[in-house]
Amino acid sequence: MSQTGDRDAGTVRASVFTEPGTPVRTVEVQLAPPGPGEVEVAIAGAGVCHSDLHVVKGEWDVPAPVVLGHEGSGVVTALGAGVTGLEVGDHVVLSWVPGCGGCRQCELGRPWQCEVAANVVAAGGVLFDGTSRWSRDGAPLHHYLGVSSFAERVVVPASGAVRIRRDAPLDVVALVGCAVATGVGAVRNTAGVEEGATVAVIGCGGVGLSCIQGARLAKAGRIVAVDIDAAKLEHARRLGATDTVDSSATDAVEALKALVPEGLDYIFDAIGKIVTTEQAIAALGLGGAAVIVGLPPTGSTARFDPLVLAEANQRILGSNYGSVDPQRDIPALVDLYMDGELDLDSLVSGRRPLEAAQDALDDLAAGGALRTLLVPSLVAPQ
């Protein structure tokens, strides 16, 4: 029973993916009330990310049909039984790794590696109890990463709804839930970039530009942005890059070695293609670390010379969700935005209604968009 009293399953609009090759459709679905330890959230904004695109293209195998979206923010509208620390009316950013608090990884202080979130929520397309709150015409739908933010309202684990300050623009801070936490966190938490270090970031989309901002906040001595898009490289300069490499016109590894002959301390692959991962490893200096932030299609493999890696004392680091503690890091990142230290507004390339979810995904696939925000309150053009 919800703490808001008797609530029938509600009808909401949501963007549903069924199978690769079939467009995402925004339709009416049913959303059951929150169960114990869960909350309902009215979505203010949902960012469209490459992880959603991987699903639509069939590069990641997820349970379907599924309500897409994993980057979102909104207002708490109902509480399930036993929820503490949140109230109806709270402004929240949603986390796609809702820590269970009881698995070995959570107990070791690594909520970004929560075993229940990975093995039940992400793999099963359900919530902690193994069931879904979504249905359509009596048939269950799946949750995407415990969020499903491409919808008017959602039900999520309470640990996946992180309370933030109320004066922050609620749609824009949706980006903190994935792109910004992932990028800044990769620099701060996974890599621990030191002041004065030399850094390169391959890929200047929403995550890569967040890596660049993280490197600027860490006071890196040199920050090199690498991309094939001149406009994105110029954007990277505005956000803190000291140098740029147009990898459409030159070999990225040779260009990085020419800019920093001693080799780079940290290189962040914010794309996740095999070629960019191999470039990140190949351009490292002595003791350098390649940080793999972008996620490739399932089953991809990269090549590197392990002898060079060992002799140069280099490292390859995987960075899942920027190694963030959502309850700690998400409010802090929102504070940095409100204090003018992080630029979120320029990462938003446009706003669209839910009905345009497929168009937003197409824009992202074409390479021109940074982060389109789906805003459920917007009315689709007739």
Side-chain angles (χ1 to χ4, degrees):
M1 173 82 59
S2 160
Q3 289 182 13
T4 57
D6 295 329
R7 287 175 54 89
D8 296 328
T11 299
V12 301
R13 292 179 302 139
S15 299
V16 178
F17 165 78
T18 54
E19 60 182 353
T22 301
V24 171
R25 296 179 57 227
T26 301
V27 295
E28 288 191 345
V29 302
Q30 284 67 54
L31 179 66
E38 300 168 357
V39 298
E40 181 189 86
V41 176
I43 297 296
V48 180
C49 173
H50 270 94
S51 295
D52 304 299
L53 188 60
H54 279 306
V55 173
V56 172
K57 293 169 70 176
E59 295 174 342
W60 290 357
D61 184 21
V62 302
V66 58
V67 178
L68 282 179
H70 64 286
E71 186 177 77
S73 56
V75 178
V76 175
T77 49
L79 306 176
V83 172
T84 60
L86 288 171
E87 298 178 357
V88 171
D90 280 345
H91 291 196
V92 294
V93 169
L94 303 182
S95 166
W96 55 268
V97 182
C100 72
C103 72
R104 178 175 180 271
Q105 294 297 327
C106 284
E107 289 179 345
L108 288 172
R110 304 168 186 157
W112 61 92
Q113 294 176 184
C114 174
E115 295 166 357
V116 178
N119 298 326
V120 177
V121 177
V126 291
L127 299 186
F128 283 157
D129 68 354
T131 67
S132 173
R133 304 295 160 265
W134 295 114
S135 63
R136 186 179 186 217
D137 299 328
L141 302 173
H142 292 88
H143 298 256
Y144 184 48
L145 298 179
V147 178
S148 292
S149 56
F150 291 4
E152 292 176 303
R153 289 183 285 116
V154 301
V155 170
V156 301
S159 61
V162 182
R163 183 168 54 190
I164 61 166
R165 55 197 288 175
R166 292 197 179 204
D167 59 340
L170 194 48
D171 61 341
V172 176
V173 296
L175 275 61
V176 175
C178 181
V180 176
T182 298
V184 176
V187 174
R188 288 183 154 189
N189 302 327
T190 308
V193 171
E194 308 90 352
E195 182 175 351
T198 56
V199 172
V201 178
I202 303 175
C204 296
V207 171
L209 292 173
S210 297
C211 289
I212 287 167
Q213 295 199 72
R216 171 176 52 79
L217 290 170
K219 299 181 180 179
R222 201 161 183 182
I223 306 170
V224 186
V226 182
D227 204 284
I228 61 173
D229 187 306
K232 289 182 178 179
L233 291 173
E234 181 55 36
H235 197 164
R237 280 193 179 274
R238 292 195 297 271
L239 294 181
T242 59
D243 304 89
T244 59
V245 170
D246 182 350
S247 55
S248 71
T250 186
D251 180 274
V253 173
E254 294 305 317
L256 288 172
K257 288 182 175 179
L259 278 172
V260 187
E262 67 276 18
L264 286 139
D265 297 318
Y266 300 94
I267 304 180
F268 295 84
D269 174 11
I271 296 179
K273 291 184 177 179
I274 297 310
V275 63
T276 54
T277 294
E278 292 176 347
Q279 288 168 345
I281 298 169
L284 290 174
L286 287 172
V291 187
I292 312 307
V293 185
L295 301 176
T298 301
S300 301
T301 58
R303 296 179 299 174
F304 63 93
D305 187 334
L307 178 61
V308 171
L309 197 76
E311 289 186 336
N313 199 36
Q314 296 167 342
R315 296 168 292 153
I316 302 172
L317 304 175
S319 182
N320 181 49
Y321 203 12
S323 307
V324 299
D325 179 338
Q327 298 294 333
R328 176 197 68 200
D329 292 340
I330 285 177
L333 290 168
V334 172
D335 287 345
L336 285 172
Y337 165 58
M338 295 300 291
D339 292 342
E341 297 295 322
L342 268 178
D343 180 353
L344 304 187
D345 298 282
S346 73
L347 301 182
V348 178
S349 50
R351 289 171 171 79
R352 290 179 178 267
L354 274 178
E355 285 75 9
Q358 183 61 55
D359 295 331
L361 288 161
D362 290 341
D363 289 346
L364 188 62
L370 291 175
R371 268 303 196 273
T372 298
L373 282 177
L374 297 180
V375 181
S377 61
L378 290 180
V379 177
Q382 301 297 313

